[in-house]
Amino acid sequence: EDKVVQSPLSLVVHEGDTVTLNCSYEVTNFRSLLWYKQEKKAPTFLFMLTSSGIEKKSGRLSSILDKKELFSILNITATQTGDSAVYLCAASTSGTYKYIFGTGTRLKVLA
Amino acid sequence: GAGVSQSPSNKVTEKGKDVELRCDPISGHTALYWYRQSLGQGLEFLIYFQGNSAPDKSGLPSDRFSAERTGGSVSTLTIQRTQQEDSAVYLCASRTDRDYTFGSGTRLTVV
């Protein structure tokens, strides 16, 4: 059965800290991995990763995929209170457009 | 439209009643998904529409759930004889080649 596991389930840090969120996957015919930030109801897109070892960066956020070890990490540097959210990762498979989501990591950044 | 629109944003219904949730995807997006997010859970896939192909209904939890997409655009998710365990946020997403765009969801509460 395809599955995506995220860790930690929750995390509390102080402003300015750096955090690393983990996403491991076991997906048949893996195609891509996506990261989302969910603050209220709707997730917002952060990154899509298809190639191993290539870091994607957006401001203080960066992400990388390891297709050999079947995981991805999302790094947030110099965290701010506005980074508080649930971070979701999802994996997709070739031949289907069904994305399998993890349960998310709840990040809380304290001022 | 500029984004994915869902209505209503909130719905409280009595156990046993039927409800209809509406999703208006981004114009031109041929792929449309419904997900359910229960408290503290990840996103649970419900159904996927792609163009004129038969929908992938493999995620629908029971035969009380059905969905249709008229004219390749607006989609309606119908839950018949609602149960308390149906209470959740129902998210719709439409897809480009790169990523999803989610609607803001419908929060369904069955009392």
Side-chain angles (χ1 to χ4, degrees):
Chain A
E1 183 184 346
D2 295 336
K3 65 179 180 180
V4 172
V5 178
Q6 291 186 246
S7 64
L9 292 180
S10 65
L11 191 56
V12 181
V13 299
H14 290 91
E15 273 192 319
D17 289 350
T18 293
V19 297
T20 298
L21 309 183
N22 302 291
C23 175
S24 64
Y25 61 91
E26 291 179 27
V27 173
T28 307
N29 299 320
F30 173 82
R31 185 167 67 111
S32 63
L33 188 137
L34 277 68
W35 282 97
Y36 287 88
K37 178 183 181 182
Q38 185 172 21
E39 293 175 88
K40 292 184 179 178
K41 285 197 287 189
T44 54
F45 173 79
L46 295 176
F47 299 109
M48 183 173 80
L49 304 159
T50 55
S51 300
S52 203
I54 299 174
E55 184 183 54
K56 292 215 171 176
K57 200 169 172 65
S58 176
R60 296 177 294 104
L61 277 66
S62 63
S63 184
I64 197 162
L65 175 67
D66 185 329
K67 291 168 78 172
K68 182 180 176 185
E69 300 297 331
L70 307 182
F71 76 91
S72 175
I73 60 171
L74 175 69
N75 278 319
I76 309 174
T77 58
T79 51
Q80 302 172 358
T81 54
D83 296 328
S84 297
V86 173
Y87 291 83
L88 294 165
C89 77
S92 74
T93 63
S94 299
T96 176
Y97 293 99
K98 191 187 305 183
Y99 280 72
I100 302 105
F101 281 82
T103 53
T105 293
R106 184 174 297 275
L107 173 66
K108 184 164 186 174
V109 181
L110 303 176
Chain B
V4 177
S5 177
Q6 290 188 247
S7 61
S9 56
N10 282 287
K11 175 74 177 178
V12 180
T13 190
E14 292 181 352
K15 179 181 173 182
K17 296 283 177 95
D18 298 352
V19 294
E20 282 190 356
L21 312 180
R22 177 187 166 108
C23 173
D24 207 334
I26 293 174
S27 178
H29 283 196
T30 58
L32 184 148
Y33 300 75
W34 283 98
Y35 289 89
R36 177 170 72 174
Q37 188 168 39
S38 303
L39 189 63
Q41 302 295 313
L43 293 177
E44 176 189 3
F45 168 79
L46 298 178
I47 189 169
Y48 161 61
F49 295 91
Q50 172 62 53
N52 295 321
S53 303
D56 178 349
K57 304 179 181 180
S58 60
L60 294 178
S62 78
D63 59 8
R64 296 185 296 103
F65 288 73
S66 63
E68 63 178 22
R69 190 177 184 194
T70 54
S73 181
V74 172
S75 177
T76 303
L77 177 69
T78 301
I79 309 172
Q80 296 177 309
R81 305 181 303 281
T82 50
Q83 303 295 312
Q84 287 183 328
E85 62 263 27
D86 299 334
S87 296
V89 174
Y90 290 82
L91 286 165
C92 171
S94 67
R95 187 177 59 81
T96 67
D97 289 338
R98 291 187 64 244
D99 65 274
Y100 292 101
T101 301
F102 283 86
S104 55
T106 294
R107 183 178 298 280
L108 176 66
T109 304
V110 182
V111 297

